[in-house]
Amino acid sequence: MSFLLPKNSGRPLTLGIMGGTFDPVHIGHLVTAEEARQQFGLDYVIFIPAGAPPHKDQKLISSEEHRYIMTMLAVVDNPYFTVSRLEIDRKSPSYTIDTVRRFFQIYNNELNLYFITGADAILDIKTWKDYGELLEICSFIAASRPGYSFNKLKSIFGPAFKKITKKIHFLEIPAMSISSTYIRRRIAKGKTIKYLTPEPVEQYIYKNRLYLGSGAIR
Ligand code: NAP
């Protein structure tokens, strides 16, 4: 696996996997990861840009390399954050269960794992590959904007909701009112994105002329 892998030091590590498309990564993601790290006592947070998100049209998202480089640029100044190419280098669809199983394999099952992602993404969890096993072997941190209603999740899981909430933790992040879509739209309209994403990411976007034109409005 091509990234600096945190090592166990006599006790099982508690890792956060920050899963997302990151097109582009922004401060909402960074605040989420840092808040999750502190609240859940994570040793490290590993950002894993999705290679081929199973639920998305590949033609509509930026190349994996652009998304990977931007994520690297965003996390480089945090010693507790790192980025993995695991899903990018896997040539098949990025199923979360495959990523989570791979982590348990690497750490000989000596691992506590939290999968951090957006609450909207978690709403669809019943459509994810082997979601029952996923909920058994790892916990989820669902990041949302303040005021987000979790009632939808209640209706999706029905009577199993109480059990599920032991494995899915909700985290309200004020900075999550920023979204990748919002940033792409602002760029397409020629508006500033200063302070919405770290400066090196902003410069990378301009240098590579990302998100210009109608393709960005999606
Ligand atoms: P998405 O549908 O693009 O995102 C849904 C919402 O969640 C958006 O508001 C998004 O905001 C937010 N979000 C996404 N990742 C986030 C993160 N790490 N922290 C905070 N908010 C986040 O979701 P996605 O990015 O494509 O997928 C999320 C993760 O779920 C990925 O790792 C993907 O591989 C996994 N997934 C797995 C399966 C499967 O195994 N079958 C199916 C679906 C998704 P932004 O647009 O601002 O990020």
Side-chain angles (χ1 to χ4, degrees):
M1 196 184 293
S2 46
F3 72 106
L4 230 47
L5 201 62
K7 291 221 163 36
N8 286 24
S9 51
R11 63 171 177 88
L13 283 177
T14 299
L15 296 183
I17 290 182
M18 184 75 173
T21 306
F22 303 130
D23 192 24
V25 64
H26 52 72
I27 60 155
H29 296 130
L30 298 170
V31 172
T32 300
E34 182 63 6
E35 186 63 24
R37 183 182 76 76
Q38 197 167 52
Q39 273 202 34
F40 294 87
L42 309 177
D43 292 303
Y44 296 95
V45 178
I46 301 163
F47 285 65
I48 307 194
H55 54 304
K56 284 195 174 159
D57 182 343
Q58 300 311 300
K59 291 190 286 296
L60 293 180
I61 56 175
S62 305
S63 80
E64 300 150 352
E65 293 307 328
H66 279 321
R67 292 183 292 109
Y68 171 70
I69 292 168
M70 288 190 284
T71 311
M72 286 282 282
L73 291 171
V75 308
V76 75
D77 62 352
N78 188 324
Y80 299 106
F81 291 177
T82 185
V83 185
S84 164
R85 291 184 61 90
L86 179 68
E87 292 193 359
I88 284 179
D89 290 341
R90 192 191 292 147
K91 291 302 166 208
S92 47
S94 296
Y95 292 117
T96 300
I97 186 69
D98 298 332
T99 302
V100 164
R101 283 182 187 142
R102 181 77 184 107
F103 268 81
F104 278 107
Q105 194 184 33
I106 291 165
Y107 286 94
N108 294 322
N109 293 323
E110 295 202 355
L111 190 62
N112 300 310
L113 208 53
Y114 287 82
F115 190 84
I116 312 162
T117 195
D120 285 347
I122 301 279
L123 277 182
D124 292 331
I125 199 163
K126 271 191 151 176
T127 66
W128 293 18
K129 188 181 162 201
D130 297 341
Y131 83 94
E133 181 185 340
L134 257 181
L135 287 167
E136 285 292 322
I137 63 178
C138 80
S139 299
F140 282 78
I141 299 173
S144 76
R145 294 156 187 95
Y148 183 94
S149 165
F150 294 107
N151 286 340
K152 270 195 212 160
L153 206 65
K154 226 175 191 169
S155 61
I156 287 168
F157 283 101
F161 183 74
K162 212 168 170 192
K163 190 174 163 214
I164 293 301
T165 50
K166 290 202 179 102
K167 297 305 289 272
I168 303 179
H169 308 276
F170 299 105
L171 198 58
E172 272 196 358
I173 304 289
M176 274 310 291
S177 54
I178 296 163
S179 73
S180 301
T181 307
Y182 177 64
I183 292 181
R184 290 193 304 269
R185 288 184 175 160
R186 286 188 69 89
I187 295 167
K189 290 179 187 162
K191 291 185 173 175
T192 176
I193 57 161
K194 203 167 183 57
Y195 308 123
L196 299 176
T197 189
E199 214 252 336
V201 178
E202 183 191 351
Q203 293 311 323
Y204 185 91
I205 290 170
Y206 292 142
K207 193 171 167 209
N208 291 281
R209 304 184 54 74
L210 302 183
Y211 314 123
L212 297 171
S214 57
I217 318 263
R218 57 179 196 271

